[in-house]
Amino acid sequence: MATTAQHVDPILASVLQRRVDAIAKEMATMLMRSSRSPIFNEIGDLVTVLFDAKGRALAQAEFAAIIAFGAQPPLEYIIDYFGDDIADGDVILHNDVFTGGNQNADTGIYLPIFHDGELVAWAAAKGHMADIGGMTLGGYNPQAREIWQEALRITPVKVYSGGTLRKDVWDLVGANIRIDFVMQDIQSMVGACTIGKRRLLQVLNRYGLGAFRAHMDYVLDGSEQQVRAEVAKWPDGVYHGESWMVSDGVDPGARYRIACEVRIEGDEITFDFSATDDQSPGIANMPPASAKGAVRIVFLMLIAAGGVVIPTNQGLFAPLSTVFREGSLLNPRFPAATIFGNQMCDEVLEAIMNALADALPDRVTAGWNQFICTSLNGVDPRTDDPFVTLTVFQRSGPGAMRGTDGWDAFGFTGTAGQMRSPDPEMFELTSPHFLEYHEYLSDSAGAGQWRGGIGTRSAWRCYGRDEIGVTIGDDVISEGAEAAKGLFGGLDAGRNDIRIERPDGTTHVWGSKELVPLPQGAVVRARSGGGAGYGNPHLRPVDLVLREVRDGLVSPERARADYGVAVVTGPDGAVRVDQETTSVLRNVNGATNR
């Protein structure tokens, strides 16, 4: 039944909200199932979004949240750039970080949706391309000093005009990309947006444009009201926090401060990073679209910690403002290199959580282990074709929060836990590597009444020809990085360590932003630390500590030293708690034995 634009039915509004959400998810499913790159179809390093005609987000499927929350700035630029020069059948390609992009490798397709000749919405798909030009296959190279060395810079350009492929533009882009299937992945993105267009037009034809707009305005307003009500509960004030990035890809010993001032005034909140250090000379800079996306991820965590479920749309971020000083790490001046920027989501999160720890102790988390993985590229000797792969199965742990342990092997903060690890067999089939092991890393999490998430240990053997690897991270023991910090008596987390065992018997300790050759037969061994703990470890239930010792997550030595739980093995081989010793250990530290 059609509804007039003047009348809003709350039930229909809920139906339409879930419908656009389902469309965004269908777009993502279509993209993953039709794409060629394992970065898309295995890892899910992508997003799909529906916007209204003004560029307001209606719904999104954020497999990689840092991209999803950074998808809007390019559209704002595109709308302003083309003005009225937008027609039905146009398809716009974009990746440029100096015109709204979050990372050059994260390339986007933006497709306008017309209804009865009127622009009514946009469908968008963004994903991490296996290659997008630049000096290095795959894009990651710490030796880059400017954007042109990192990627083909794609400012908004129509690859389809009025439904017709612009072959000259298409061939120009393809001529700058080393891997053929990247262009096929772009076609998959166009297909995903086309699905979004078809599905949305079905909704408009059924309910009418006026009714759709009225009800989506109602949904966005409802989200805004919900989130403002949550922020209004938070104590007004000005709060400060900081985090540190170690190494900039030029100087392994360099340290950069990411500083955040959080201002809460009624139902408004501002995240001001003006005091953050100046931009680095290398790749370790974060474009403002990426920084804004990182802030939104953390803000969403704080909101969700209150148990409130709010649709992920434009209204969710209405009370939020961000400030990034030009020339700083989070808003570098042109033509800075920025390929590492998305990874700095870790520091943004840590700075905000540190700032709000005392003000919002029930919502913040203890320190997260800063994520590190590798980008591997070379020639696959089985096919003589170039390959690029990301080892995102290297999973670190998030920090605990009051009432909840950190999730085990969660991974990168910028993906909000939704980007997947590749299937081990697919990793071996699509790149010349053999995965020796991938498992939880015992004693990697910081102890606490609620412990941090467990990290992982991984190893793989390299068989690529002319293979090089680049570490993507900023927290390794060898560079003096500090462990993620526990909160309110919780203990610090474990740290990352990654090493290359070469066929000649030598070992190389791999830095956090370092490009190295990987000879055939080399083995990479990676240890990813867990998250930090929250609260006094001696208040953790004894039976839970015993269970984790039995499961191999905590060693008997750490159970005794960190949790005050004496675990012994009897003559029959059974593992049990020595209650008398445990009582003494816990009472000495002023905690009840429970």
Side-chain angles (χ1 to χ4, degrees):
M1 179 180 68
T3 305
T4 65
Q6 289 73 31
H7 172 71
V8 172
D9 177 359
I11 295 177
L12 179 57
S14 180
V15 169
L16 290 175
Q17 181 266 312
R18 284 164 174 76
R19 186 71 187 98
V20 295
D21 185 67
I23 293 171
K25 288 180 170 60
E26 182 182 1
M27 291 167 60
T29 300
M30 185 270 181
L31 178 54
M32 295 179 73
R33 291 182 176 178
S34 64
S35 57
R36 288 280 311 281
S37 172
I39 298 174
F40 277 30
N41 53 46
E42 279 293 306
I43 297 173
D45 196 353
L46 54 86
V47 298
T48 49
V49 193
L50 285 178
F51 299 95
D52 70 5
K54 299 176 183 178
R56 298 184 302 173
L58 301 178
Q60 63 188 38
E62 61 269 11
F63 282 87
I66 191 68
I67 309 177
F69 293 132
Q72 186 184 38
L75 180 56
E76 293 175 344
Y77 185 86
I78 287 167
I79 291 173
D80 181 66
Y81 182 83
F82 285 104
D84 294 332
D85 186 21
I86 295 290
D88 195 7
D90 288 352
V91 177
I92 297 164
L93 182 68
H94 177 272
N95 79 338
D96 178 42
V97 299
F98 289 102
T99 54
N102 65 288
Q103 185 190 61
N104 292 320
D106 294 337
T107 301
I109 285 290
Y110 292 84
L111 186 151
I113 301 173
F114 284 77
H115 181 264
D116 291 337
E118 179 183 357
L119 176 63
V120 296
W122 292 81
K126 289 192 73 173
H128 187 108
M129 297 298 170
D131 185 63
I132 200 69
M135 64 192 288
T136 304
L137 179 62
Y140 287 97
N141 190 330
Q143 298 172 6
R145 298 292 180 267
E146 58 185 20
I147 186 173
W148 299 289
Q149 295 174 318
E150 294 187 296
L152 172 65
R153 184 183 174 204
I154 306 172
T155 54
V157 61
K158 294 182 183 182
V159 291
Y160 283 82
S161 181
T164 301
L165 176 68
R166 297 186 61 187
K167 190 174 184 299
D168 54 347
V169 174
W170 187 264
D171 289 347
L172 174 65
V173 173
N176 286 275
I177 295 174
R178 301 170 178 86
I179 299 178
D180 292 340
F181 66 64
V182 168
M183 300 305 292
Q184 297 170 21
D185 287 342
I186 294 175
Q187 289 176 321
S188 294
M189 295 166 72
V190 176
C193 290
T194 301
I195 289 292
K197 173 182 176 179
R198 290 175 184 170
R199 297 291 185 261
L200 187 61
L201 288 177
Q202 289 172 356
V203 172
L204 296 179
N205 290 333
R206 178 174 180 179
Y207 295 101
L209 178 59
F212 178 80
R213 283 176 168 167
H215 284 81
M216 292 313 299
D217 284 344
Y218 177 85
V219 169
L220 267 58
D221 289 344
S223 294
E224 179 175 346
Q225 291 173 22
Q226 281 185 280
V227 73
R228 285 190 181 278
E230 283 296 296
V231 174
K233 298 175 185 177
W234 302 353
D236 285 0
V238 179
Y239 310 98
H240 296 88
E242 65 180 27
S243 180
W244 292 87
M245 180 180 70
V246 178
S247 175
D248 56 12
V250 178
D251 177 5
R255 286 172 56 85
Y256 291 84
R257 177 173 176 258
I258 293 83
C260 181
E261 178 179 279
V262 183
R263 298 189 292 272
I264 303 176
E265 302 172 274
D267 62 0
E268 299 274 345
I269 186 167
T270 300
F271 298 89
D272 189 338
F273 287 84
S274 297
T276 292
D277 284 350
D278 290 344
Q279 68 191 68
S280 81
I283 63 173
N285 296 295
M286 192 176 201
S290 181
K292 186 175 182 178
V295 171
R296 287 183 167 189
I297 291 171
V298 184
F299 180 68
L300 184 56
M301 291 180 186
L302 296 170
I303 293 293
V308 179
V309 178
I310 303 174
T312 307
N313 57 40
Q314 194 68 29
L316 178 58
F317 304 111
L320 185 156
S321 299
T322 53
V323 180
F324 307 110
R325 175 177 59 87
E326 185 180 4
S328 71
L329 284 173
L330 306 185
N331 187 6
R333 292 190 176 92
F334 180 82
T338 62
I339 189 66
F340 183 76
N342 280 357
Q343 300 302 128
M344 293 167 64
C345 184
D346 289 337
E347 286 87 353
V348 170
L349 179 143
E350 187 171 67
I352 294 174
M353 292 294 184
N354 287 341
L356 295 174
D358 292 328
L360 300 173
D362 293 338
R363 294 178 183 256
V364 299
T365 67
W368 292 48
N369 179 273
Q370 294 186 3
F371 178 64
I372 188 169
C373 70
T374 68
S375 174
L376 310 173
N377 70 81
V379 177
D380 190 333
R382 298 169 298 186
T383 62
D384 287 331
D385 291 329
F387 73 89
V388 174
T389 192
L390 300 175
T391 60
V392 295
F393 51 74
Q394 294 173 250
R395 293 272 171 159
S396 52
M401 64 182 298
R402 180 172 292 177
T404 305
D405 292 346
W407 286 0
D408 297 333
F410 186 86
F412 177 39
T413 61
T415 64
Q418 293 174 297
M419 196 168 78
R420 309 178 308 184
S421 291
D423 179 273
E425 285 75 21
M426 291 303 297
F427 170 66
E428 295 172 349
L429 284 172
T430 59
S431 68
H433 300 97
F434 177 77
L435 188 63
E436 293 195 348
Y437 57 79
H438 174 56
E439 59 194 18
Y440 285 140
L441 177 59
S442 178
D443 292 334
S444 57
Q449 184 175 0
W450 299 281
R451 65 157 172 80
I454 302 292
T456 59
R457 61 190 292 265
S458 309
W460 64 93
R461 191 174 298 273
C462 304
Y463 293 106
R465 191 168 69 242
D466 301 323
E467 183 172 354
I468 60 173
V470 181
T471 38
I472 310 168
D474 43 23
D475 182 9
V476 291
I477 295 173
S478 61
E479 293 174 343
E482 297 180 358
K485 302 300 180 184
L487 273 183
F488 306 114
L491 301 187
D492 294 351
R495 289 179 291 172
N496 300 321
D497 182 64
I498 184 166
R499 297 167 186 263
I500 304 167
E501 298 174 357
R502 300 189 180 99
D504 63 5
T506 60
T507 297
H508 176 74
V509 179
W510 211 345
S512 65
K513 306 173 190 66
E514 183 183 12
L515 183 151
V516 296
L518 295 170
Q520 289 182 315
V523 177
V524 180
R525 302 196 186 277
R527 296 167 61 89
S528 299
Y534 187 113
N536 184 352
H538 283 231
L539 295 178
R540 190 166 179 83
V542 170
D543 60 344
L544 184 53
V545 176
L546 174 62
R547 187 174 73 191
E548 294 190 337
V549 170
R550 286 173 172 166
D551 290 343
L553 301 179
V554 178
S555 68
E557 294 77 17
R558 297 318 307 172
R560 184 185 185 99
D562 296 343
Y563 292 102
V565 177
V567 178
V568 296
T569 302
D572 58 354
V575 178
R576 61 178 180 81
V577 172
D578 180 339
Q579 296 289 354
E580 183 177 352
T581 303
T582 296
S583 180
V584 172
L585 290 171
R586 290 202 156 190
N587 286 333
V588 165
N589 287 275
T592 57
N593 180 19
R594 55 175 178 170

